[in-house]
Amino acid sequence: MGILTKRDGHVEVVTVDFPPVNALPVQGWFDLADALTRAGRDPEVHVVVLRAEGRGFNAGVDIKEIQRSEGYDALVGANRGCYAAFGAVYDCEVPVVAAVHGFCLGGGIGLVGNADVIVASEDATFGVPEVERGALGAATHLARLVPQHLMRTLYFTARKITAAELHTHGSVYRVVPRAELDEAAWEVARDIAKKDPRVIRAAKEALNGIDTQPVHRSYRFEQGFTFELNLLGASDEAREEFLNGR
C-alpha cells in the first residue's frame, strides 16, 4: 500500500493505493512527488501513467490526519505535500497520462489538471469540494479542465462534473468502460513511448514554457487563503462537520 511503481518497457506506471478512498496523508503526497520526479529523470522512461487502485482515483488530503494533529503541522504538511505532488506532475520531464476512475476530488483535480493526457472511465466524476471543507485550492487546476465560468460555478457549488462532460470540453481525451481504462491509458502511453524521447522531452519543456497559466504561483496564491480560513476557525469547523457527517 502507498505509492507503487512498475516499469514496463519505457513506460513507468505510478499507482496510488491508500485505502479506503485514496485520501493521501502528508507523507503520501511527498512520496508521490518523489516517484514522479524520479521517473521523469530516468532516461529509460519515455512516459508515465498515473493511476490508482480502489474505489476512486483520489479523494484529496487525509482530513482525519489533520484533525488528529495539534497545531498546524499537518495542515502545513498537507499544503506543502500537495504543492510538491501537483508540481511534480507538471514538471515531470516526460508526459504524464492520468487514468481516472471513480471519484477525483480536491487534490485529485490538482494531479489530473496538471497531467498531459487524461483518460477516464465512464464512472469517473471530478470536483473540488474545498468550500465545504473550509479550504481553498485546485481552482488553478480545475480551470485547466473547464471554461472559466463553469469552473467558478463548480467551485462555488462544490458540484461534480462527469468524465463525459469533460470530454466535450476536450480536457478528457477518452472515456471508456471501467474494465478498459488501464488499456486505454496504455494505448496512449505506448504511442508516446514510440517517439524519439529527445523530442518528447523537449516538447514537454517547450509546452510548459509557453503555458499561459503560471500554475505554481497561482496555486500557491490560493493556498494562502486556506491558512487565513484556518486562523479564523472556519476550516476546523468545516472539517469537524464533514467528519461527523453533517
Side-chain angles (χ1 to χ4, degrees):
M1 308 239 182
I3 306 300
L4 313 175
T5 59
K6 178 182 178 182
R7 180 76 53 82
D8 192 330
H10 293 296
V11 179
E12 182 90 347
V13 180
V14 178
T15 300
V16 176
D17 187 12
F18 280 88
V21 295
N22 286 325
L24 272 61
V26 170
Q27 190 57 50
W29 290 107
F30 284 108
D31 290 345
L32 178 56
D34 289 343
L36 292 164
T37 300
R38 283 196 307 271
R41 289 176 178 169
D42 189 331
E44 293 300 313
V45 174
H46 296 182
V47 61
V48 171
V49 172
L50 177 60
R51 62 180 300 279
E53 289 291 333
R55 292 161 50 189
F57 179 77
N58 190 280
V61 302
D62 185 350
I63 293 179
K64 292 181 180 180
E65 180 184 40
I66 294 175
Q67 290 305 92
R68 285 195 305 265
S69 304
E70 295 184 7
Y72 296 111
D73 286 352
L75 174 68
V76 172
N79 276 272
R80 290 187 178 277
C82 284
Y83 183 85
F86 301 171
V89 175
Y90 188 79
D91 293 327
C92 186
E93 296 178 32
V94 298
V96 176
V97 178
V100 183
H101 72 280
F103 45 78
C104 178
L105 303 171
I109 296 294
L111 297 173
V112 302
N114 272 355
D116 298 284
V117 182
I118 305 170
V119 177
S121 59
E122 293 169 337
D123 67 342
T125 56
F126 302 73
V128 180
E130 261 59 1
V131 295
E132 295 181 340
R133 308 288 189 267
L136 297 179
T140 294
H141 313 92
L142 185 59
R144 299 170 69 81
L145 302 176
V146 296
Q148 180 68 210
H149 283 86
L150 179 55
M151 180 276 288
R152 289 171 180 256
T153 302
L154 294 172
Y155 203 88
F156 291 142
T157 62
R159 290 179 180 175
K160 301 181 184 69
I161 188 169
T162 67
E165 290 172 304
L166 287 184
H167 181 62
T168 66
H169 292 291
S171 48
V172 168
Y173 176 59
R174 287 186 63 191
V175 180
V176 298
R178 175 75 171 270
E180 300 174 16
L181 179 61
D182 283 334
E183 180 54 35
W186 267 104
E187 184 177 332
V188 180
R190 283 194 296 264
D191 193 16
I192 297 172
K194 290 187 299 185
K195 309 296 189 291
D196 187 329
R198 296 169 298 181
V199 177
I200 292 298
R201 286 173 177 267
K204 176 66 184 277
E205 185 176 356
L207 291 176
N208 281 6
I210 65 171
D211 206 332
T212 57
Q213 188 173 31
V215 295
H216 301 308
R217 186 179 68 196
S218 179
Y219 178 55
R220 194 62 172 158
F221 179 81
E222 289 186 73
Q223 286 187 319
F225 290 94
T226 295
F227 292 119
E228 284 190 15
L229 290 169
N230 273 273
L231 293 174
L232 292 171
S235 299
D236 194 56
E237 293 172 11
R239 288 192 297 265
E240 282 297 325
E241 288 185 359
F242 171 71
L243 293 176
N244 292 328
R246 294 197 298 274

